[in-house]
Amino acid sequence: MASRLLMLLALLAVAFRDAMASDPSLLQDFCVADKMSKVNVNGFACKDAEDVVVEDFVFSGFHIAGNTTNKQGSAVTAANVAQVPGLNTMGISMARIDFAPKGLNPPHIHPRATEILTVLEGSLYVGFITSIPGSRLISKVLTKGDVFVFPKALVHFQFNYGTENAVAIAGLSSQNPGVIPVANTVFGSNPSLSDDILAKAFQVDKNTVDWIQAQFN
């Protein structure tokens, strides 16, 4: 009897842990972000329902091409909770990504979201890298209408190898997916990582580290 009780308690503990690990379901129709609230919560506090307006659920901007006149030749136009307060607690967001010829959305991570991307115009070479062991590159050239999935928190990229502009739309499984550009984060941190750490990690000399850091500072 005691062993059965212990087994039941263990199963309940596992079930409770798994239930607590998932995002909570909405307990109301919506929870529009109140960005003026001083309440400290994971996300944003809810605006009073009486103060909610249609503009809280609207974003106008995906019809405008992003400015790709930068070093990477790409531009991301985000539509997450920062731009659309009505996305608060909804667990979803979008982005438009514009690419000049040879433009790159450099290797980066979304720590809180899976991404699904479709090409609207042009073609893109895209891919992600699996975790260790393996570090396998999963990649493909996409053309107009193709869809590709980037698993949550894995390093991934998109590159316009062609001679024409390219445009893609991405959906992300978080109201605030976050973005960690690999090169910018490692070589452009504030304060900077020490030369000793970077030189050993990348197996290069300190002069090379200093030169790369100068590109991001």
Side-chain angles (χ1 to χ4, degrees):
M1 182 66 180
S3 61
R4 290 182 180 179
L5 180 59
L6 287 173
M7 179 65 73
L8 177 60
L9 289 173
L11 290 172
L12 287 173
V14 171
F16 182 76
R17 178 204 66 189
D18 291 342
M20 292 298 289
S22 61
D23 291 336
S25 299
L26 280 170
L27 300 179
Q28 55 214 28
D29 290 341
F30 47 76
C31 173
V32 173
D34 182 357
K35 297 179 182 177
M36 302 302 293
S37 174
K38 301 298 184 182
V39 177
N40 187 16
V41 297
N42 183 23
F44 293 94
C46 302
K47 182 189 289 188
D48 191 302
E50 295 299 319
D51 297 328
V52 170
V53 294
V54 67
E55 286 76 17
D56 290 324
F57 301 93
V58 176
F59 173 77
S60 298
F62 277 4
H63 64 295
I64 302 172
N67 183 2
T68 60
T69 56
N70 53 63
K71 288 183 178 181
Q72 299 295 346
S74 67
V76 177
T77 303
N80 55 47
V81 71
Q83 294 79 30
V84 188
L87 286 175
N88 192 39
T89 73
M90 297 295 178
I92 194 170
S93 59
M94 294 182 70
R96 168 179 172 148
I97 314 167
D98 288 273
F99 300 84
K102 308 303 180 184
L104 172 70
N105 190 11
H108 61 281
I109 296 166
H110 299 297
R112 295 180 288 275
T114 297
E115 177 180 347
I116 184 167
L117 175 142
T118 184
V119 177
L120 300 184
E121 298 291 342
S123 60
L124 294 171
Y125 172 56
V126 307
F128 63 86
I129 301 169
T130 63
S131 57
I132 294 173
S135 298
R136 183 182 173 194
L137 172 63
I138 309 292
S139 64
K140 185 174 178 63
V141 174
L142 306 181
T143 57
K144 185 176 180 178
D146 289 343
V147 175
F148 195 89
V149 175
F150 303 96
K152 179 179 179 180
L154 293 186
V155 174
H156 61 283
F157 64 90
Q158 301 102 27
F159 177 61
N160 178 12
Y161 68 97
T163 58
E164 304 292 332
N165 292 337
V167 182
I169 292 287
L172 299 114
S173 62
S174 172
Q175 68 182 43
N176 182 24
V179 60
I180 303 173
V182 176
N184 301 58
T185 302
V186 174
F187 291 102
S189 66
N190 184 22
S192 298
L193 278 170
S194 76
D195 288 357
D196 290 330
I197 292 173
L198 292 175
K200 191 172 185 65
F202 288 91
Q203 296 297 291
V204 296
D205 60 62
K206 293 183 180 181
N207 289 334
T208 301
V209 169
D210 290 340
W211 183 85
I212 296 174
Q213 284 180 320
Q215 312 309 305
F216 296 96
N217 294 310

